[in-house]
Amino acid sequence: MIRFVLLSAWIGLLVVASHWMGQEAYRWFPVQASNAAPLVDDLFSLETAIGTFVFLGVLSVLLWVLLFNRAEKYDQEDGPPMEGNTRLEIVWTVIPLVIVMAIAVVSIRVNRELGVLGPMEHVHGGELIEAMDHGPGASAAGSGSLQVDVIARQWSWEFRYPGAQVSATELHLPLDVPVTFKLTSPDVLHGFYVPAFRLKQDVVPGRAIDFSLTPTRSGRYRLRDSQFSGAWFAANQADVVVESPEAFGSWLEAASHQPLQPGLSVAADEAERLARQPAGGIRWATVPPAPPPLVNVPGSNSLPHDA
């Protein structure tokens, strides 16, 4: 009876510690800035709590064996064989099965609630990008929503708002308005990743991928290329500005009257600087960066951002 009480008390302590660690996991992330962020954070918190319970449980057994089941000094004999314990075999089979199935059920539910991926179109070369330039387009992907065409290159981002005929190297989004991104790449694999949004989508050459979310917090965030795409992929970043629908409308209107000019491209600037260095300096073989895209709004890459 005493052993049962002590074991129950220890399991209770493990549950409390695991719950605390699961709550602490929320603090490891940047701010939540999209409708997907709470769902992803809840799933990660659950997995952290379960992992903590399993880790502490296994560690407890190891410490118990080391402290109370040690062999006598100079004892070189093998321990007694342990065979045919059907109850134990059932327990260590059922517990991992239940844990894995619980995580799978929650993950499937989160994935269905997110529903971020839309249709994927096959494109060849610059086919779709040419259509973006000359096609009629529409600013809305559906009722009360916005469509933004995203082009990932080596190494710059370009964002086009088809209905307004506006392009930029800084992404502006209206608060609490569903947005569908049409992701394309004319060269290699890239990754569209905004940590504050908690979602990442590969940008695959030869595909036009629809990717949807809703920004839920005003601020300035950072878009990063999450896939290794060459020498300057770490510099392939852009600011994401989430603002009120009124401020977004004003920005879009002002941008439509701006002339085209070279957009931001840290890689192109760095490549040009290296090319001006005297012969004999440090050189490495790399793909030349694509020219900076011509946009209405270059934006800035030096302003502070939330995440």
Side-chain angles (χ1 to χ4, degrees), residues 220-231:
R220 182 176 290 268
Y221 310 104
R222 200 68 171 159
L223 165 65
R224 308 175 191 276
D225 190 346
S226 59
Q227 294 287 354
F228 179 74
S229 54

Side-chain angles (χ1 to χ4, degrees), residues 256-279:
S256 65
H257 295 94
Q258 297 295 320
L260 292 177
Q261 55 190 301
L264 291 176
S265 176
V266 174
D269 294 342
E270 181 67 11
E272 183 179 353
R273 185 187 67 81
L274 290 175
R276 292 196 302 265
Q277 286 185 351

Side-chain angles (χ1 to χ4, degrees), residues 136-198:
S139 61
S143 177
S145 63
L146 172 75
Q147 177 178 310
V148 180
D149 298 331
V150 180
I151 305 172
R153 296 186 178 92
Q154 291 176 302
W155 290 268
S156 63
W157 295 94
E158 183 183 356
F159 313 103
R160 298 181 181 178
Y161 300 82
Q165 296 298 309
V166 168
S167 59
T169 45
E170 180 176 85
L171 178 60
H172 283 246
L173 300 173
L175 181 67
D176 293 326
V177 174
V179 181
T180 297
F181 302 100
K182 186 173 287 293
L183 307 174
T184 60
S185 168
D187 41 51
V188 299
L189 185 68
H190 298 275
F192 182 89
Y193 177 47
V194 182
F197 291 168
R198 299 296 192 278

Side-chain angles (χ1 to χ4, degrees), residues 20 104 110 127 131 134 295 301 307:
W20 175 81
V110 168
E127 229 175 57
H134 301 100
V295 298
N301 59 0

Side-chain angles (χ1 to χ4, degrees), residues 31-307:
V31 295
Q32 296 180 347
S34 80
N35 60 324
L39 296 172
V40 174
D41 288 2
D42 289 345
L43 177 59
F44 184 81
S45 174
L46 173 65
E47 293 173 343
T48 300
I50 292 175
T52 300
F53 184 84
V54 172
F55 173 76
L56 293 179
V58 172
L59 186 63
S60 301
V61 174
L62 289 175
L63 291 176
W64 178 269
V65 171
L66 287 173
L67 293 175
F68 302 107
N69 291 86
R70 295 174 64 89
E72 296 293 334
K73 192 175 183 179
Y74 305 121
D75 184 356
Q76 301 294 324
E77 296 181 2
D78 294 333
M82 186 174 178
E83 298 177 0
N85 193 329
T86 305
R87 181 181 300 176
L88 182 60
E89 292 177 0
I90 292 175
V91 168
W92 74 37
T93 301
V94 170
I95 290 179
L97 176 64
V98 170
I99 292 174
V100 171
M101 292 305 297
I103 294 175
V105 168
V106 175
S107 300
I108 292 172
R109 178 180 62 81
V110 168
N111 188 61
R112 286 179 176 173
E113 288 188 34
L114 290 175
V116 295
L117 281 181
M120 181 185 300
E121 305 171 32
H122 290 259
V123 295
H124 300 281
E127 229 175 57
L128 185 70
I129 296 174
E130 187 71 14
M132 289 177 182
D133 286 330
H134 301 100
S139 61
S143 177
S145 63
L146 172 75
Q147 177 178 310
V148 180
D149 298 331
V150 180
I151 305 172
R153 296 186 178 92
Q154 291 176 302
W155 290 268
S156 63
W157 295 94
E158 183 183 356
F159 313 103
R160 298 181 181 178
Y161 300 82
Q165 296 298 309
V166 168
S167 59
T169 45
E170 180 176 85
L171 178 60
H172 283 246
L173 300 173
L175 181 67
D176 293 326
V177 174
V179 181
T180 297
F181 302 100
K182 186 173 287 293
L183 307 174
T184 60
S185 168
D187 41 51
V188 299
L189 185 68
H190 298 275
F192 182 89
Y193 177 47
V194 182
F197 291 168
R198 299 296 192 278
L199 293 176
K200 183 189 82 69
Q201 174 58 43
D202 290 348
V203 187
V204 184
R207 303 286 187 273
I209 303 172
D210 283 357
F211 181 67
S212 303
L213 56 82
T214 302
T216 57
R217 183 181 185 274
S218 298
R220 182 176 290 268
Y221 310 104
R222 200 68 171 159
L223 165 65
R224 308 175 191 276
D225 190 346
S226 59
Q227 294 287 354
F228 179 74
S229 54
W232 280 289
F233 91 100
N236 195 18
Q237 303 185 22
D239 276 1
V240 180
V241 180
V242 179
E243 53 200 350
S244 67
E246 295 77 18
F248 172 76
S250 299
W251 174 84
L252 203 61
E253 174 65 21
S256 65
H257 295 94
Q258 297 295 320
L260 292 177
Q261 55 190 301
L264 291 176
S265 176
V266 174
D269 294 342
E270 181 67 11
E272 183 179 353
R273 185 187 67 81
L274 290 175
R276 292 196 302 265
Q277 286 185 351
I282 298 176
R283 293 288 188 272
W284 60 86
T286 182
V287 175
L294 294 177
V295 298
N296 302 97
V297 183
S300 171
N301 59 0
S302 59
L303 296 176
H305 47 82
D306 297 306

